Structures are given as C-alpha cells and as structure tokens.
C-alpha cells in the first residue's frame, strides 16, 4: 500500500451544486482540496442511483484535481477500463462485489490508476489480507448508512484500529 500517512483532502461531488460544478471545484481546489471524489452507485450493490460517467467527464473538463471514483456496483470489473479512459486517477471498488478482487485491483493499477477497496461494515477485514499489497487506499465505512448525525457503533473504531495494524504490518 502507498504510505498510510499520505493525506487526502477530498471534496465529494455529491455535496456540490451541480449547476455550478466548475465554480465549486475551483473553490475547493483553492481551499486546499487535492482530490475530487465521485460516488457512482448502480442501485443494486448500493441503494439508489447516483452520478454517472458523464459527470466524471464534466469534472475532468472543469478541474485539474485528480478524480477518485468510488464505484459501488455489481461486478465493477466491467467498468474499470472505461473509467481509466475518462481520466480517473484512482478507483475504489467494494471487495464484496468483485468475483476475483486481486484481478480487479491489478487491472486498476495496470491501467495507471491508484487502486482502492471498500469493505462493508459486516464483512470481515480478513478479506483484505491477500490484496493489501495491491491497494493504495481502503475505504472503511463505519455503518450501513442512515442519518448523518447518528453516532457510529463502538465496534467501528475497533475495525479502524485493526485495519491500521494490518496496513502497518504489510508496509
């Protein structure tokens, strides 16, 4: 994994007004953001539909910030090459959605993107054991969603600690 101490200041596109996307991205960049995060959900793996590839193109044309896509879709391997062609700098996919996760992460890297895995709260962290060397980041949601003001469960912090220890071990 890339040094776990690298700091990413990411701006999430889902929090920006799309009518003023370019202006918002320039403001985020001047405010210190060093990455744009785009969540793309297929409505099957993750609930609800979301921004699509056209928005990635618009972002690419509106900013020089690197684009990180968190692709929450069934069989995300189908879209890796397309997202690379769109200019994504980093791609995170749910480890649970990949038939052969090691192949997916290797493909992401082979296409010149940084690779990331997200792990659902109910999935054992051991699923990452053999792919950690192929990853540049891990997204570890603390809960399954819901109200933003809800406190994360206490076990979430234990998962973060365990993941930190595993990453340190592999470095």
């Amino acid at each position: 994994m890339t040094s776990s101490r690298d700091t990413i200041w990411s701006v999430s596109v889902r929090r920006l007004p799309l009518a003023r996307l370019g202006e918002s991205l320039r403001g985020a960049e001047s405010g210190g953001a060093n990455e744009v995060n785009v969540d793309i959900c297929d409505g099957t793996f993750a609930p609800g539909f979301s921004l699509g590839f056209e928005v990635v193109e618009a972002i690419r044309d509106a900013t020089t910030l690197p684009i990180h896509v968190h692709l929450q879709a069934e069989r995300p391997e189908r879209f890796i090459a397309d997202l690379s062609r769109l200019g994504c700098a980093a791609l995170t996919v749910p480890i649970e959605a990949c038939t052969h996760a090691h192949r997916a992460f290797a493909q992401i890297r082979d296409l010149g993107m940084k690779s990331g895995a997200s792990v659902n709260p109910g999935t054992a962290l051991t699923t990452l054991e053999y792919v950690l060397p192929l990853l540049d980041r891990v997204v570890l949601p603390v809960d399954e969603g819901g109200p933003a003001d809800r406190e994360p469960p206490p076990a979430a912090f234990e998962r973060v600690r365990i993941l930190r220890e595993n990453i340190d071990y592999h470095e």
Side-chain angles (χ1 to χ4, degrees), residues 157-168:
F157 300 110
E158 179 67 7
R159 283 174 59 86
V160 170
R161 185 190 62 73
I162 292 167
L163 179 59
R164 168 82 269 146
E165 289 174 358
N166 287 339
I167 290 169
D168 288 344

Side-chain angles (χ1 to χ4, degrees), residues 62-128:
T63 185
T64 59
L65 289 173
I67 301 169
H68 166 242
V69 170
H70 185 185
L71 180 60
Q72 299 171 64
E74 290 290 334
R75 295 181 21 242
E77 302 91 337
R78 300 173 293 156
F79 306 108
I80 293 171
D82 293 332
L83 288 165
S84 174
R85 280 191 291 277
L86 288 174
C88 290
L91 178 58
T92 294
V93 297
I95 196 159
E96 302 89 350
C98 298
T99 304
H100 298 283
H102 61 289
R103 290 182 196 163
F105 300 127
Q107 181 185 6
I108 291 168
R109 282 194 159 182
D110 288 347
L111 290 170
M113 296 179 285
K114 292 189 177 201
S115 66
S118 60
V119 184
N120 285 328
T123 300
L125 293 175
T126 55
T127 61
L128 294 171

Side-chain angles (χ1 to χ4, degrees), residues 14-15 47 143-151:
R14 69 181 169 172
R15 302 288 185 212
D143 63 26
E144 294 287 352
D149 61 347
R150 183 174 53 187
E151 290 289 321

Side-chain angles (χ1 to χ4, degrees), residues 22-96:
E23 177 186 332
S24 298
L25 289 170
R26 285 187 294 280
E29 189 170 359
S30 67
N34 59 11
E35 175 183 89
V36 178
N37 181 73
V38 183
D39 290 321
I40 298 178
C41 304
D42 67 358
T44 301
F45 185 82
F49 289 95
S50 65
L51 306 173
F53 292 179
E54 299 81 11
V55 173
V56 174
E57 286 181 285
I59 293 166
R60 182 196 61 215
D61 295 341
T63 185
T64 59
L65 289 173
I67 301 169
H68 166 242
V69 170
H70 185 185
L71 180 60
Q72 299 171 64
E74 290 290 334
R75 295 181 21 242
E77 302 91 337
R78 300 173 293 156
F79 306 108
I80 293 171
D82 293 332
L83 288 165
S84 174
R85 280 191 291 277
L86 288 174
C88 290
L91 178 58
T92 294
V93 297
I95 196 159
E96 302 89 350

